[in-house]
Amino acid sequence: MTGPDGDIEALIALMARLPGLGPRSARRAVLSMIKKRGVLMEPLASALQRVAISARECVTCGNISTRETCVICASEKRANGTLCVVEDVADLWAMERSGVFAGRYHVLGGVLSALDNVGPDDLRIPLLRGRVREEGITEVILALNATVDGQTTAHYIADELHGTGVAVTSLAQGVPIGGELDYLDDGTISAALRARRAL
Amino acid sequence: MTNRDFRARIFWLACNMEWQDQGILLSSRPHGENAAIINVFTRAHGRHAGVVRGGASRRMAPILQQGADLSLTWRARLDAHIGSFRVEPIRSRAALIMEDRLALAGLNAICALLRFALPERAPHAALFSVTEDLLQELTSSPDWPRHYVLWELALLSELGFGLDLSHCAVTGRCDDLIYVSPRTGRAVSRQGAGEWADRLLPFPSPDNIAQSLRTTGYFLEHSLAHALGAACLPAARGRLLSQLERL
């Protein structure tokens, strides 16, 4: 049986390493690109090449950008005194998708983890302290995952910022929009009950 | 079940490994895109690892949080295989203490120490019971640090490094015990310490948790970690100690 050979096989193997793709879906994607060479494959190849050269971490917040300072950090409108701390760039992009937060971000690059031996010095926590001091921050919002490691990191940062005069807040935890109580785990229900509010 | 099904089931059980047990989740690590490799501390099978298919999914991720009580079914073709777990939640603990930094540090320290100290697949039923009691205290009582000290003593004892705190190693007295010998792990009374007092460790006491943890920490580090070939204890225990020192 003869399949695609040489470069095409190598491309399929590379595509199959991307999240969400396996060998079969990578093969389909590559075949689709070859069929749409002019409208899809060539623009994609040149975009990949451009991004491979220009993508870097923002020196201020850790966001991924094609410039030294990302668009959010460069915008004066976003300097409203609030700083949202997230674990990863994917979380920053998720927050931006909501379009609700108008301040700036700080990407930690991970969370404290006993399992992976990640300590405070492996994260961008010292940089966070510096930013709070220098950028006139009044509120730090800890938008970290509601996991043991995420909340351990949140408490650690809150301790680190204690005495600096900034308000430290965290995202609420509870019933997701569209969530049905019957399908929620008991931990989420108990967190939601503790965070109940008057209507 | 027909006779044929019954025979097939018997044959399958003879050729395959399967057990059911209750366990405490110590850690969960993503494996591939959807699965997770979990480490659990079970009553009858000790610390055990296995794959949970769909363990990284949105439905399973809240269940697979450290400290959770799980009903587990483990299956593998051969005993040496990592095998896979089927998991049913019994009780979630992490969600109850997310806002309590000290309890969260305690949960991290318990899970990290168990993962660090326990050999795989060796049952420690007595330690399992003590751990269950401690986790119950952790989520329900502010007095849990006292139980934590006793738990570390139980951990040392279970793994063969137990301290003898019943009577003075020098005088044999059972009262006025205020030191522990770092060499033998035996209690020493004020009278028995004599000029060696400054070289001895403080006697673990529920009135001074941080000091007690420094004593148990000495033996965890110098006896247990040394025997395991590790240079130091998990950082999570150090973070718990620094939280307690701040109180």
Side-chain angles (χ1 to χ4, degrees):
Chain A
M1 213 162 65
T2 321
D5 58 355
D7 291 342
I8 297 174
E9 191 59 61
L11 179 60
I12 291 169
L14 282 171
M15 293 278 288
R17 287 163 64 177
L18 295 174
L21 292 184
R24 214 173 251 258
S25 43
R27 200 174 291 265
R28 271 206 304 275
V30 168
L31 196 58
S32 168
M33 283 194 292
I34 291 170
K35 282 180 182 168
K36 297 173 185 169
R37 193 182 301 232
V39 290
L40 190 61
M41 195 172 202
E42 284 166 6
L44 180 67
S46 62
L48 281 172
Q49 199 167 19
R50 281 199 307 275
V51 172
I53 294 166
S54 61
R56 68 190 78 176
E57 267 190 10
C58 168
V59 290
T60 312
C61 71
N63 187 11
I64 290 176
S65 167
T66 52
R67 288 180 266 182
E68 194 167 311
T69 303
C70 72
V71 181
I72 299 169
C73 291
S75 167
E76 279 304 314
K77 280 185 188 168
R78 306 293 295 249
N80 62 2
T82 52
L83 194 65
C84 181
V85 178
V86 291
E87 176 184 335
D88 196 57
V89 175
D91 299 334
L92 187 158
W93 291 353
M95 292 287 289
E96 277 299 283
R97 268 203 313 274
S98 74
V100 175
F101 180 64
R104 286 179 172 163
Y105 294 94
H106 189 83
V107 180
L108 287 178
V111 285
L112 297 176
S113 167
L115 183 62
D116 296 321
N117 217 11
V118 178
D121 296 337
D122 301 312
L123 306 176
R124 294 163 53 90
I125 293 174
L127 286 172
L128 173 65
R129 275 197 299 265
R131 288 189 71 186
V132 166
R133 239 187 351 257
E134 289 157 17
E135 294 182 23
I137 301 296
T138 53
E139 182 182 2
V140 172
I141 303 167
L142 300 172
L144 298 172
N145 293 336
T147 59
V148 171
D149 288 345
Q151 293 309 299
T152 302
T153 311
H155 288 307
Y156 181 85
I157 294 173
D159 286 345
E160 286 292 296
L161 297 178
H162 184 73
T164 55
V166 277
V168 181
T169 56
S170 70
L171 295 186
Q173 290 159 6
V175 184
I177 303 297
E180 292 174 40
L181 289 181
D182 192 24
Y183 288 96
L184 291 183
D185 63 292
D186 55 349
T188 305
I189 290 176
S190 68
L193 198 61
R194 283 201 304 277
R196 68 187 181 278
R197 59 186 178 184
L199 288 174
Chain B
M1 188 184 275
T2 63
N3 276 350
R4 192 176 164 192
D5 289 344
F6 181 75
R7 276 201 303 275
R9 178 76 180 150
I10 294 292
F11 179 74
W12 192 93
L13 284 173
C15 299
N16 294 274
M17 309 301 300
E18 177 174 341
W19 52 253
Q20 289 187 343
D21 203 350
Q22 186 184 333
I24 299 162
L25 186 85
L26 302 181
S27 67
S28 170
R29 181 193 285 279
H31 177 64
E33 285 187 26
N34 263 320
I37 293 180
I38 63 169
N39 230 297
V40 286
F41 180 30
T42 61
R43 187 183 294 277
H45 299 86
R47 186 167 73 85
H48 210 292
V51 177
V52 179
R53 311 265 173 232
S57 67
R58 252 190 248 180
R59 190 181 69 82
M60 286 299 288
I63 294 166
L64 298 182
Q65 292 294 309
Q66 284 174 49
D69 251 347
L70 303 171
S71 167
L72 301 153
T73 306
W74 180 81
R75 275 183 181 192
R77 198 166 60 77
L78 295 172
D79 189 41
H81 289 177
I82 188 167
S84 63
F85 278 121
R86 201 174 62 231
V87 171
E88 288 287 331
I90 297 175
R91 185 177 5 179
S92 165
R93 291 197 177 94
L96 301 173
I97 54 168
M98 283 284 186
E99 291 128 40
D100 181 346
R101 67 191 64 198
L102 186 61
L104 208 52
L107 179 65
N108 268 319
I110 294 164
C111 293
L113 270 178
L114 287 172
R115 218 171 38 232
F116 171 79
L118 294 183
E120 270 202 85
R121 303 186 180 194
H124 291 280
L127 184 65
F128 182 85
S129 297
V130 179
T131 306
E132 267 203 320
D133 293 345
L134 172 63
L135 289 173
Q136 180 58 35
E137 289 292 322
L138 189 81
T139 51
S140 60
S141 161
D143 207 26
W144 67 264
R146 288 169 183 242
H147 296 265
Y148 180 84
V149 175
L150 298 175
W151 177 80
E152 281 201 350
L153 289 169
L155 177 69
L156 280 166
S157 174
E158 184 78 16
L159 296 173
F161 302 102
L163 309 187
D164 180 0
L165 305 177
S166 57
H167 60 276
C168 176
V170 182
T171 63
R173 288 177 60 170
C174 297
D175 60 333
D176 206 19
L177 301 172
I178 57 167
Y179 298 112
V180 177
S181 162
R183 199 173 63 80
T184 62
R186 296 180 68 186
V188 181
S189 66
R190 191 189 307 271
Q191 192 189 358
E195 62 187 71
W196 301 97
D198 58 342
R199 297 190 189 181
L200 300 174
L201 299 168
F203 191 89
S205 147
D207 299 327
N208 194 336
I209 306 292
Q211 181 181 282
S212 303
L213 289 189
R214 276 193 289 275
T215 299
T216 51
Y218 178 89
F219 292 100
L220 284 170
E221 193 162 348
H222 288 81
S223 304
L224 179 64
H226 181 73
L228 294 171
C232 57
L233 293 174
R237 188 191 181 275
R239 282 199 281 274
L240 170 64
L241 185 56
S242 57
Q243 292 267 358
L244 286 164
E245 281 169 341
R246 273 186 222 166
L247 292 177

